[in-house]
Amino acid sequence: MLGKDLCKIEVNTELSSERLRSLVFFYGPLIGNEALVMYEYLVLRGSRIAFEEINELLMKLNLSIDDFEFYCIKLNEYRLLKTLKQENRYIFVLNDPMEIKQFIKDDILVRDFILKTSGEYYRELTSQIYTESDHTGFEDVSQTLSLDTLQEWRAEDESYLKKKETRRYDFPTMFNVDVFLKDISANLLPMRFRTVENMRELATLADLYNISYDKMRTYLPRVARTDSNQFDLKELRYLCMNARSEYKKTEGDPYAQPCLSFLMSLQSGKEATDYDKKIIYKLSQRYHLDVPVINVLLEYGLKNCNNSLIENYLYAIASDLHRNDIKTAKEALERLNGPYEKKNKKEDKLPVYDASINRNMSASQEEELLKLMGKK
């Protein structure tokens, strides 16, 4: 067994109070405290759908690979753990400990217990466990809680019982990193690469260039190599910018969609160029604009620049949006199409001349003026 091998946990047990007492009092002296603690930790940790490196488990248990393997063997011997292997992958299946009465009836285990402890201790332990109170002749007169206490329960109160979704990587992005990582093994994306900075950049690139969960998953082997200590963000950016994006019409808020999809909708589904993609990235990284604000700016730029994206024009406005802390599409629309639009319309309005104040000229005066202007 090696630390880089893969494993997953399957918990096939429900520890009742009776089984827990059996585990502590009878199995404990046989397997040792360290193996007992490891078993309880794995049970509490619960089943895992995806495989992970054994190293990740060792780090949480603070164990060496040799100690871990030794304790696994101990748990195997007393049928608390079943170890399944396929090449470099392991499945650890945790089983129920026997109840005390079952344990005592097991000829091998009970004799092993007496040899490892003592006959006196065994008798003392079993006498304490089997001592039961005599309830003969007593009537159960315990009171039960009346359902009348819930008469004032309202629908609003029920909302408190609903589990609120929490995100470990709580970024203002459409790409949910927690959903993406749910089935990603530590072998495919080691834990050391799952920093807040790396995951924020990954989510941002997905939002900018319309990268799906499945497509992003295919990029991981190229940017998170196990032989390297660096998550290659430059390579990830290259892959996302060069990914082919299929255009699909979206419903709902038109600005709440990946920038590349929004830009393609503005140009009737035509593929965006490398020039366009670089502009989108700069608006996000250099001017720190959120996706909906970038989409508003792209639309505004095409509208006012004869259907062209002109860098200097866009960057000047982006700087203004960033300076004024514009975070939503609504705020961006108000900023760009509010007082600025009215001001521009006022400036573009041509003056009206009053012809009534013009001087009336005689024919001789008009002829003299034309001679001076060289018209005659």
Side-chain angles (χ1 to χ4, degrees), residues 367-376:
E367 184 176 0
E368 185 67 23
L369 178 61
L370 291 175
K371 286 181 180 179
L372 292 172
M373 296 175 61
K375 300 286 185 177
K376 192 171 181 180

Side-chain angles (χ1 to χ4, degrees), residues 145-155 157:
L145 180 67
S146 173
L147 294 180
D148 292 340
T149 58
L150 298 180
Q151 286 183 351
E152 297 181 1
W153 187 260
R154 301 168 301 171
D157 299 320

Side-chain angles (χ1 to χ4, degrees), residues 21 33-34 92 95 113 126 171 208 215 219 249 261 270 281 289 318 340:
R21 292 171 73 192
N33 289 336
E34 293 81 3
F92 299 117
N95 297 319
F113 180 82
T126 52
F171 310 137
L208 295 179
K215 186 180 290 184
Y219 295 160
K249 289 186 177 181
S261 298
K270 291 181 181 178
Y281 184 77
L289 301 183
Y340 292 102

Side-chain angles (χ1 to χ4, degrees), residues 183-278:
D183 296 323
I184 301 295
S185 70
N187 187 52
L188 183 59
L189 182 60
M191 299 299 294
R192 63 180 180 274
F193 294 145
R194 303 187 188 195
T195 64
V196 173
E197 292 75 15
N198 288 342
M199 295 302 99
R200 180 185 286 112
E201 179 73 358
L202 181 146
T204 300
L205 290 170
D207 279 2
L208 295 179
Y209 301 118
N210 192 27
I211 308 298
S212 66
Y213 293 125
D214 290 337
K215 186 180 290 184
M216 185 65 76
R217 184 188 182 98
T218 64
Y219 295 160
L220 292 181
R222 294 183 58 177
V223 300
R225 295 183 296 273
T226 55
D227 59 345
S228 170
N229 289 321
Q230 183 178 5
F231 188 78
D232 197 341
L233 290 175
K234 185 176 181 181
E235 177 69 12
L236 181 63
R237 184 163 60 250
Y238 171 82
L239 293 170
C240 292
M241 291 181 69
N242 287 277
R244 184 175 180 81
S245 179
E246 295 183 3
Y247 170 65
K248 292 182 181 179
K249 289 186 177 181
T250 58
E251 298 179 356
D253 185 356
Y255 302 107
Q257 60 174 304
C259 295
L260 203 61
S261 298
F262 183 78
L263 180 59
M264 291 175 70
S265 70
L266 296 178
Q267 49 196 35
S268 303
K270 291 181 181 178
E271 185 75 19
T273 65
D274 292 344
Y275 173 83
D276 299 334
K277 293 177 181 178
K278 290 178 181 178

Side-chain angles (χ1 to χ4, degrees), residues 312-323:
N312 292 338
Y313 180 80
L314 293 174
Y315 296 159
I317 300 175
S319 180
D320 175 76
L321 296 175
H322 172 61
R323 183 182 304 107

Side-chain angles (χ1 to χ4, degrees), residues 352-374:
V352 178
Y353 295 99
D354 185 4
S356 62
I357 63 175
N358 292 344
R359 289 181 57 187
N360 292 323
M361 300 177 65
S362 62
S364 60
Q365 288 176 323
E366 182 177 351
E367 184 176 0
E368 185 67 23
L369 178 61
L370 291 175
K371 286 181 180 179
L372 292 172
M373 296 175 61

Side-chain angles (χ1 to χ4, degrees), residues 6 13 21 36 56 63 65 74 115-116 156 169-170 189-190 232 249 281 312 325 356 368:
L6 303 179
T13 177
R21 292 171 73 192
L36 178 63
E56 300 295 333
L63 293 176
I65 185 64
K74 278 292 181 184
L115 288 174
K116 285 187 169 61
E156 293 81 0
Y169 298 96
D170 194 11
L189 182 60
D232 197 341
K249 289 186 177 181
Y281 184 77
N312 292 338
D325 200 29
S356 62
E368 185 67 23

